[in-house]
Amino acid sequence: MKNPIAVRVDDLTVAYNYKPVLWDIDLEIPEGVLMAIVGPNGAGKSTLIKSILGIIKPIAGSISIYDKPYKKQRELVAYVPQKGSVDWDFPTTAQDVVLMGTYGDLGWIKRPGSKEKKLALEALEKVGMLAFKNRQISQLSGGQQQRIFLARALVQNASIYFMDEPFQGVDASTEIAIINILKELRKSGKTVVVVHHDLQTVPEYFDWVTFLNVKKIATGPVKDIFNDDNLTKTYGINYKVAINK
Amino acid sequence: MTIPQIEIQLIAVVVAIACAIPGVFLVLRKMALISDAISHSILPGIVLGFFITHDLNSPLLILFAALFGVITVVLVEAIQKTGLVKEDTAIGLVFPILFSIGVLLIAKNANDVHLDIDAVLLGELAFAPFDRFFVGEQDFGPKSLWVMGTILITTCVLLFLFFKELKVSTFDAGLSSALGFSPVLLHYGLMSVSSITVVGAFDAVGAILVVALMITPAAAAYLLTSNLKKMLFLSIFFGIISALGGYWLAHFLDASISGSITTILGVLFLIVYLSAPNKGLISVIIMHKQQKREVMLLTFLLHLNNHSDTTERHINHLNEHINWHKLKSKRILDLALKNNLILIDNEIVNLTEKGQEFTKLAIDYIITNTDEKIEHMKDDFFLFRG
Amino acid sequence: MNFSEYFSLLFSDYTLRTISLGTALLGAICGMLGSFAVLRKQSLLGDAISHAALPGIALAFLITGAKDSNVLLLGALVSGLIGTFWIRSMVTKTHLKSDTALGLVLSLFFGFGMLLLTFIQKQPNANQAGLDKYLFGQAATLIEKDVQILLLVTTASLFILLLFWKEFKILLFDVEYANTLGFNTKFLDILITFLIVLAIVLGLQTVGVVLMSAMLLAPAAAARQWTNKLSVMVGLAAIFGAFSGVMGTAISASQNNLSTGPVIVLIAGCFVFISFVFSHKRGLLLREYKFRQNRRELHHNKTLLFMYEIAKDHKNIEHPHAIKILNNFYGFTVKTLKQLETKEFILISGQNWSLTKKGYYQATTMFMQNEIKNDNTTN
């Protein structure tokens, strides 16, 4: 039985000033995959995610989540931005940041209560950060900060997760912890889309991959399309990679 | 014109030029607000100098004031280094506290001196001719002219001597270090010059006009060019015409000269802000619109290229699939038709040969960013000038 | 008048009470909204907008001919808002940087305001005092009606702040994420900006144009050093601000020839200084102490290791050695020796020292201990 399409991107085009960043992207992400988006720097990977989430306005194109427009399906989608996109000197604790993940469900004005706090603590435990719940976020290491961001998304209990370079600048144990959580998400039927910077680990971590360089080069199961041909088309030089078949 | 009138205009012009030069560097180094900070925080310096000499005309006042200008910068940087607050916050804390100390010093010794804070802030050029520079019995002219003139000449000499060092350290501090021009030394040199200029100038024109004269001409010039030399010339030019224009405006309206010069600066900046080619607001908006249209055109052509299925190339489909308003779609269609890039047959859109070639070249350019093939198209399309 | 007189007067003198309440409210509102300005990296907006308010005040006076504070305030608000949005427009649409934009609006608006002022000065019914108040601040001119309005505005702002607390928090911390949750960040942004400009315009009455930026920043900067929770920071900032306001007014009232502005700012400045140095979380004193402690520990470890190297070559590790041989070792001091003895890592008898079993063990496991310690802190 073929899986339903969780995310459909049609003719997405985004340009900054005079530079085209994404051209005519058509993409179908089936439900339940753990997908990596790879491509060289400036290929538009972050832009793709931000356009899907409505953070950046495209010049053309449409996004649908389970066949409905994204704006109507927000509660199904969770976002883990790049670590460097926030000021970590902001006065707040780890628990507080994770609690922010409940704000979407609460809607305007309502305050987080004991139910939300419980969800936050559970998420903190899942990422191994329960002991740090009262720690000021500026005192956390890079890996710990990334875990907090992940916990914040987990709290949303979404169906689809978008993550922007979650393994960038984290220690080895955090990387392992995160990928295990992602695999668990996939096992429970969630769809996970990750902008990934490290080609070496793609076959090991992901089952689907999209090659992106302003245009979509290829997308599909790793075993089918993660090959030298597509790598060369995307990165422009002769790429040799050993894939564990 | 009477002699005092000429003298006022001369002073105004000299002040304008003297402020424009360091102003350019402050704007380029993202330190514009230091000028505002210094203009306020030098008050305690002036007061202390006055307490020592009891002479409002003593050069010691200028010296002390300039010293406090440098102290301001040192304090701001010391606070920034602690990392307890961000950079801007440090500036916003230091100068009001120093200014307050100055005001308090004055108030405590109100009997001794009449230092009108009004004049400190607002200044009035109209009185400048009355403050003369006497050597013995000989009247050499307005004191302000001599003071600012000296400062101007010194600034010009320093600019001339250190031009390339300033240029490198402003645009690339790392390179500057590597080449042996200490950026720290240049930084403090610039701060000292700015300080002295502010002190010398605000006696004549007040604290606020000094800030306006330092930042506005440089900002306007920055919208017109990125070349340092051109920027300096333009700033000086803008400063001069604002000074003269402002004087005559004040004359005509019988109003404050400082206020008038600032207003002229404002009008000038507004004009440049709106109408500068490439970087002015109107140009930016027009170019954005044009660029958006071109991008849509290209998207549309690429879409045609990618889909051979005729249902995807039906006119109505454009609206649904690419998600554009009917009006936008029509404009794009017309643009493409006009350029002979498409043919419409039975409401199905097809690429012409020219259209196909154009599309292919465009894709190549986008992916590889090499622009040799699209040279001939650069004139028509903003997109490829990027 | 000294302090005890001031406080007794506070209960009996109606005017004094009014003024104190007024400056307390103003200080509080500046502290609260200043916290938001600081966290949004809009620290110097206070300086720019306070100057930009001048033409609005002048025009309001020219148009309505009234010296009614509230009309002038309205003028200031409009002018301030125009300035704010022009700053944003310049930064987003051109390549001018924010410091340039702030400086432009600051000086150009104010200069234009000065031009207008000279027209006002020539009018027959003009009274400079009303406008001077905005330049230098004079809380002593606050009357009951002013304070009523202040109370209203402060309450309304507090209400809005509490209502949208979590929205503001997430807006300040991670605006893109807030967008994905479905919050209208544009609306929130405009709301906060409006409140900040309102606080600035109101605060002008107490400290005047020049000193406004400090009124906005100082309470917040001080408060930040004492807590890592946003709510506590905002609350503390309000308290610091209110206190500075009241204290400043009291002191300046007891002296002649002193405007309230500079005194309030200096008191707020004291708060900042004390917070920077003595804060138990981030203070400079604490930092210096920790630094020295680390350095001392480093010296201990190095000395102990050095002693260990000497001792381990002997069959009996507890064999005594002359203290003299340690003299050339970098970082060795008599104090270090004494402290190692206190920790029972060594024994001193006469001119000799000897390693104890405990000290020997400490030395051998020194690097493993580091690992054990790290494991506990970084998981």
Side-chain angles (χ1 to χ4, degrees):
Chain A
M1 185 191 69
K2 201 161 171 253
N3 278 355
I5 300 296
V7 182
R8 173 174 282 119
V9 178
D10 280 317
D11 306 318
L12 186 68
T13 300
V14 179
Y16 286 151
N17 290 332
Y18 309 123
K19 279 212 75 191
V21 178
L22 286 174
W23 271 103
D24 204 28
I25 306 285
D26 290 317
L27 189 60
E28 279 182 0
I29 306 179
E31 185 187 63
V33 301
L34 179 46
M35 173 197 273
I37 300 184
V38 297
N41 279 335
K45 310 191 290 291
S46 284
T47 310
L48 178 58
I49 292 200
K50 289 190 184 177
S51 311
I52 294 177
L53 295 168
I55 296 172
I56 292 181
K57 234 180 113 202
I59 288 196
S62 60
I63 314 285
S64 50
I65 308 285
Y66 287 112
D67 291 326
K68 295 213 187 81
Y70 166 69
K71 289 227 163 82
K72 295 201 162 54
Q73 303 273 62
R74 276 193 206 274
E75 66 274 9
L76 295 178
V77 182
Y79 176 46
V80 182
Q82 284 191 21
K83 255 199 313 352
S85 62
V86 299
D87 176 14
W88 291 93
D89 198 33
F90 192 83
T92 188
T93 60
Q95 179 175 3
D96 259 353
V97 172
V98 176
L99 212 50
M100 288 183 192
T102 62
Y103 287 5
D105 276 342
L106 286 169
W108 288 89
I109 298 177
K110 260 181 77 183
R111 297 290 181 89
S114 52
K115 179 179 114 184
E116 284 76 21
K117 293 212 172 93
K118 189 157 154 289
L119 285 171
L121 291 174
E122 280 169 10
L124 275 169
E125 180 159 35
K126 208 178 262 168
V127 299
M129 289 287 293
L130 192 56
F132 296 82
K133 66 180 170 131
N134 290 323
R135 192 71 69 92
Q136 156 71 18
I137 54 181
S138 61
Q139 294 167 351
L140 298 174
S141 69
Q144 292 169 330
Q145 288 170 349
Q146 191 60 66
R147 293 184 199 226
I148 295 297
F149 261 8
L150 179 58
R152 184 176 69 174
L154 289 176
V155 153
Q156 290 177 250
N157 201 19
S159 306
I160 306 172
Y161 293 80
F162 285 97
M163 304 180 67
D164 198 347
E165 305 219 1
F167 302 108
Q168 181 76 275
V170 305
D171 54 282
S173 62
T174 301
E175 181 158 337
I176 295 173
I178 293 181
I179 195 60
N180 283 337
I181 294 178
L182 297 186
K183 287 191 171 158
E184 225 181 88
L185 284 173
R186 180 189 53 187
K187 235 203 276 178
S188 53
K190 317 279 190 187
T191 312
V192 182
V193 181
V194 176
V195 171
H196 195 59
H197 70 285
D198 180 15
L199 282 173
Q200 299 282 40
T201 46
V202 168
E204 184 189 336
Y205 290 169
F206 301 95
D207 55 355
W208 269 60
V209 65
T210 297
F211 284 97
L212 189 68
N213 186 356
V214 184
K215 290 185 63 54
K216 182 194 79 183
I217 310 289
T219 183
V222 166
K223 60 177 165 41
D224 294 336
I225 69 156
F226 192 72
N227 50 44
D228 293 341
D229 189 33
N230 281 326
L231 282 163
T232 311
K233 278 194 194 146
T234 310
Y235 289 86
I237 57 178
N238 239 317
Y239 248 90
K240 285 265 177 236
V241 71
I243 305 176
N244 295 326
K245 293 248 182 196
Chain B
M1 264 191 284
T2 68
I3 298 216
Q5 283 182 325
I6 297 180
E7 286 177 343
I8 294 178
Q9 288 174 80
L10 201 56
I11 295 173
V13 167
V14 168
V15 171
I17 302 176
C19 288
I21 297 175
V24 165
F25 291 100
L26 288 179
V27 165
L28 286 172
R29 285 161 172 260
K30 309 201 235 292
M31 305 188 69
L33 284 168
I34 284 283
S35 62
D36 180 51
I38 293 180
S39 72
H40 295 317
S41 64
I42 55 180
L43 184 65
I46 296 179
V47 175
L48 281 176
F50 179 78
F51 283 169
I52 297 179
T53 66
H54 287 280
D55 173 15
L56 271 175
N57 294 316
S58 156
L60 203 66
L61 263 68
I62 295 186
L63 211 62
F64 267 55
L67 191 66
F68 261 80
V70 180
I71 289 178
T72 309
V73 175
V74 168
L75 276 175
V76 167
E77 292 180 1
I79 295 183
Q80 286 174 3
K81 268 215 197 83
T82 67
L84 292 172
V85 287
K86 299 284 189 298
E87 299 118 14
D88 290 355
T89 314
I91 297 179
L93 287 173
V94 167
F95 84 81
I97 291 180
L98 288 176
F99 186 81
S100 300
I101 294 177
V103 172
L104 247 49
L105 285 174
I106 295 177
K108 273 312 183 181
N109 300 276
N111 304 323
D112 274 12
V113 62
H114 177 68
L115 255 184
D116 190 358
I117 304 189
D118 257 1
V120 160
L121 274 187
L122 305 179
E124 193 38 71
L125 256 177
F127 302 130
F130 298 114
D131 197 7
R132 319 285 309 172
F133 179 44
F134 285 101
V135 177
E137 292 287 309
Q138 203 40 340
D139 174 6
F140 276 92
K143 190 189 81 171
S144 304
L145 195 55
W146 282 98
V147 172
M148 278 322 289
T150 316
I151 294 179
L152 176 59
I153 293 177
T154 317
T155 306
C156 288
V157 168
L158 287 172
L159 178 67
F160 195 64
L161 283 176
F162 294 108
F163 184 73
K164 61 177 194 303
E165 287 83 352
L166 278 168
K167 184 169 176 178
V168 173
S169 72
T170 300
F171 292 107
D172 192 342
L175 180 62
S176 164
S177 272
L179 290 175
F181 309 141
S182 160
V184 174
L185 206 62
L186 285 165
H187 171 67
Y188 280 104
L190 180 63
M191 288 297 110
S192 305
V193 169
S194 305
S195 231
I196 295 180
T197 309
V198 167
V199 173
F202 96 13
D203 183 37
V205 305
I208 296 303
L209 181 54
V210 175
V211 177
L213 280 174
M214 278 193 165
I215 302 182
T216 317
Y222 198 23
L223 286 174
L224 292 170
T225 176
S226 293
N227 177 304
L228 184 59
K229 276 206 186 116
K230 283 196 193 139
M231 203 169 145
L232 282 165
F233 279 125
L234 269 177
S235 302
I236 293 177
F237 173 67
F238 285 147
I240 295 177
I241 55 177
S242 301
L244 293 174
Y247 174 77
W248 288 103
L249 181 65
H251 184 76
F252 177 65
L253 294 174
D254 190 23
S256 137
I257 302 182
S258 301
S260 307
I261 297 182
T262 314
T263 306
I264 298 285
L265 277 169
V267 170
L268 190 114
F269 177 75
L270 202 58
I271 295 176
V272 173
Y273 174 66
L274 290 174
S275 62
N278 293 334
K279 297 188 195 150
L281 194 64
I282 296 181
S283 295
V284 166
I285 291 179
I286 292 180
M287 286 199 284
H288 270 169
K289 278 213 161 79
Q290 174 70 351
Q291 176 245 340
K292 195 168 178 185
R293 223 174 296 148
E294 288 170 5
V295 167
M296 283 174 139
L297 174 65
L298 225 82
T299 310
F300 167 55
L301 293 176
L302 281 172
H303 185 77
L304 289 178
N305 207 24
N306 282 342
H307 299 279
S308 41
D309 181 7
T310 49
T311 52
E312 296 259 347
R313 290 187 283 126
H314 193 276
I315 291 187
N316 291 334
H317 177 73
L318 268 184
N319 302 336
E320 304 152 7
H321 211 73
I322 313 189
N323 206 26
W324 289 342
H325 292 303
K326 264 224 163 83
L327 206 56
K328 269 196 226 165
S329 305
K330 184 153 190 326
R331 279 217 199 103
I332 303 297
L333 272 176
D334 289 343
L335 185 62
L337 273 171
K338 204 168 64 158
N339 278 299
N340 279 333
L341 296 167
I342 59 171
L343 281 172
I344 304 188
D345 180 18
N346 264 347
E347 297 207 330
I348 305 290
V349 188
N350 298 307
L351 275 177
T352 61
E353 221 179 274
K354 178 175 177 191
Q356 280 176 343
E357 192 195 325
F358 177 78
T359 311
K360 183 174 171 307
L361 287 175
I363 297 180
D364 280 341
Y365 166 72
I366 290 165
I367 307 257
T368 62
N369 248 333
T370 53
D371 52 9
E372 340 123 341
K373 296 189 189 146
I374 50 136
E375 274 303 318
H376 63 283
M377 298 199 281
K378 270 196 176 167
D379 286 331
D380 295 329
F381 292 91
F382 280 113
L383 209 52
F384 301 135
R385 289 182 218 162
Chain C
M1 181 188 353
N2 59 34
F3 279 127
S4 53
E5 286 175 11
Y6 173 76
F7 276 110
S8 57
L9 263 177
L10 199 57
F11 290 106
S12 54
D13 183 338
Y14 170 78
T15 315
L16 198 59
R17 206 163 50 230
T18 309
I19 297 175
S20 298
L21 185 60
T23 47
L25 286 171
L26 281 168
I29 206 179
C30 284
M32 284 194 302
L33 291 164
S35 307
F36 284 95
V38 168
L39 290 171
R40 303 182 96 199
K41 317 282 194 318
Q42 290 181 327
S43 296
L44 287 171
L45 196 64
D47 192 27
I49 299 307
S50 65
H51 286 78
L54 186 63
I57 297 172
L59 276 173
F61 182 85
L62 279 173
I63 294 176
T64 67
K67 267 173 19 272
D68 181 4
S69 290
N70 303 314
V71 173
L72 298 182
L73 271 177
L74 207 59
L77 190 61
V78 170
S79 177
L81 285 171
I82 295 179
T84 310
F85 289 113
W86 195 23
I87 291 172
R88 179 168 310 194
S89 156
M90 273 195 271
V91 171
T92 50
K93 295 248 170 37
T94 73
H95 71 147
L96 293 175
K97 303 295 184 295
S98 74
D99 64 308
T100 306
L102 286 166
L104 283 170
V105 166
L106 188 159
S107 56
L108 295 176
F109 273 57
F110 191 82
F112 178 57
M114 282 190 332
L115 185 64
L116 293 174
L117 271 185
T118 54
F119 284 134
I120 294 176
Q121 278 166 339
K122 289 184 293 177
Q123 285 192 354
N125 60 336
N127 183 353
Q128 267 296 79
L131 296 159
D132 267 359
K133 187 166 91 169
Y134 286 96
L135 289 177
F136 309 114
Q138 189 43 270
T141 61
L142 284 175
I143 57 177
E144 185 181 348
K145 201 166 66 115
D146 296 329
V147 178
Q148 279 171 350
I149 302 226
L150 278 175
L151 195 56
L152 194 67
V153 173
T154 310
T155 317
S157 308
L158 198 58
F159 178 67
I160 295 180
L161 233 54
L162 287 174
L163 198 67
F164 294 117
W165 180 255
K166 74 172 197 294
E167 283 80 2
F168 285 150
K169 193 157 152 186
I170 197 176
L171 181 78
L172 291 173
F173 178 61
D174 194 347
V175 59
E176 286 183 345
Y177 181 71
N179 256 315
T180 67
L181 290 182
F183 289 107
N184 184 346
T185 53
K186 218 174 191 156
F187 161 71
L188 287 168
D189 183 43
I190 294 181
L191 187 59
I192 288 195
T193 306
F194 177 79
L195 287 176
I196 293 177
V197 174
L198 187 63
I200 293 171
V201 162
L202 287 173
L204 283 177
Q205 295 168 86
T206 41
V207 295
V209 168
V210 175
L211 303 172
M212 190 59 223
S213 78
M215 204 53 217
L216 212 60
L217 300 178
R224 177 71 185 92
Q225 312 309 324
W226 297 98
T227 176
N228 285 320
K229 289 188 76 170
L230 183 62
S231 48
V232 177
M233 176 179 165
V234 174
L236 263 183
I239 294 176
F240 287 160
F243 192 78
S244 306
V246 174
M247 234 17 353
T249 311
I251 295 178
S252 81
S254 65
Q255 312 283 329
N256 282 331
N257 212 22
L258 212 52
S259 358
T260 47
V263 186
I264 295 179
V265 166
L266 283 175
I267 294 182
C270 287
F271 274 118
V272 173
F273 180 73
I274 294 175
S275 306
F276 276 14
V277 174
F278 295 105
S279 150
H280 64 293
K281 280 196 197 292
R282 292 154 60 112
L284 293 173
L285 219 58
L286 180 74
R287 208 185 273 189
E288 184 64 24
Y289 173 70
K290 275 202 182 142
F291 176 71
R292 291 198 187 187
Q293 215 183 22
N294 276 343
R295 202 170 48 178
R296 208 180 328 144
E297 203 177 301
L298 196 66
H299 281 182
H300 283 189
N301 287 345
K302 278 166 71 174
T303 310
L304 186 63
L305 272 178
F306 186 61
M307 293 171 151
Y308 166 77
E309 291 296 324
I310 297 174
K312 75 172 189 206
D313 289 333
H314 294 252
K315 236 184 2 189
N316 176 14
I317 56 151
E318 295 181 25
H319 187 278
H321 305 271
I323 292 182
K324 270 199 303 205
I325 62 177
L326 299 170
N327 277 341
N328 284 330
F329 183 62
Y330 176 79
F332 166 72
T333 60
V334 174
K335 223 196 217 173
T336 315
L337 210 59
K338 286 256 166 23
Q339 277 162 341
L340 286 174
E341 186 185 33
T342 317
K343 287 200 197 162
E344 295 179 358
F345 291 155
I346 63 171
L347 280 174
I348 301 182
S349 74
Q351 295 295 318
N352 292 334
W353 61 270
S354 58
L355 203 61
T356 63
K357 280 210 177 60
K358 191 171 174 189
Y360 183 84
Y361 178 71
Q362 174 76 6
T364 52
T365 59
M366 190 173 291
F367 293 112
M368 280 165 55
Q369 284 205 342
N370 275 340
E371 281 170 12
I372 299 171
K373 205 161 41 141
N374 276 342
D375 261 344
N376 283 336
T377 55
T378 64
N379 176 55

